[in-house]
């Protein structure tokens, strides 16, 4: 499984819906001000290349990781 981490405020509603259809699982990590909320899209290993190509074509910034980061790890990156 691969995990694509995307800031919530960088996606339009239509982009979010299109990405959600391509992902196996969508999770939202909610943080309080001043931190941003993040989407975590889980994608099967066989599908990650086409998922990544879609994000690149749409100009969507993401972080790709092989293991899902914990909430604490995500928060540490924002500090």
């Amino acid at each position: 499984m691969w995990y694509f981490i995307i800031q919530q405020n960088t996606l339009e509603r239509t982009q979010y819906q299109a990405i959600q259809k391509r992902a196996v699982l969508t999770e939202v990590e909610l943080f309080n001000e001043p931190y941003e909320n993040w989407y975590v899209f889980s994608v099967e290993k066989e599908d990650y290349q086409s998922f990544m190509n879609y994000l690149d074509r749409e100009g969507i910034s993401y972080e790709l990781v092989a293991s899902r980061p914990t909430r604490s790890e995500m928060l540490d990156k924002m500090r």
Side-chain angles (χ1 to χ4, degrees), residues 13-24:
R13 183 178 194 85
T14 56
Q15 288 176 318
Y16 172 69
Q17 290 170 340
I19 294 170
Q20 198 172 27
K21 289 177 184 175
R22 289 174 163 79
V24 173

Side-chain angles (χ1 to χ4, degrees), residues 3 14 16 28 37 39 52 55 66 69 71 73-75 79:
Y3 302 90
T14 56
Y16 172 69
V28 181
N37 295 331
Y39 291 123
M52 186 169 50
L55 296 178
R71 183 175 172 77
E73 290 169 339
M74 293 176 80
L75 190 56
R79 290 185 180 149

Side-chain angles (χ1 to χ4, degrees), residues 3-17 19-20 23 25-31 36-42 51 55 60-63 65 68-69 74:
Y3 302 90
F4 289 81
I5 316 300
I6 301 174
Q7 271 190 334
Q8 184 180 28
N9 67 356
T10 62
L11 291 180
E12 298 173 9
R13 183 178 194 85
T14 56
Q15 288 176 318
Y16 172 69
Q17 290 170 340
I19 294 170
Q20 198 172 27
L25 177 66
T26 302
E27 300 172 82
V28 181
E29 284 291 344
L30 300 173
F31 295 97
E36 299 291 331
N37 295 331
W38 292 83
Y39 291 123
V40 180
F41 296 99
S42 303
F51 193 87
L55 296 178
I60 298 169
S61 298
Y62 59 88
E63 180 183 349
V65 294
R68 193 198 187 293
M74 293 176 80

Side-chain angles (χ1 to χ4, degrees), residues 32-54:
N32 292 327
E33 297 269 341
Y35 303 109
E36 299 291 331
N37 295 331
W38 292 83
Y39 291 123
V40 180
F41 296 99
S42 303
V43 179
E44 295 289 346
K45 289 183 180 184
E46 311 80 56
D47 301 325
Y48 95 93
Q49 185 67 46
S50 63
F51 193 87
M52 186 169 50
N53 288 343
Y54 175 79

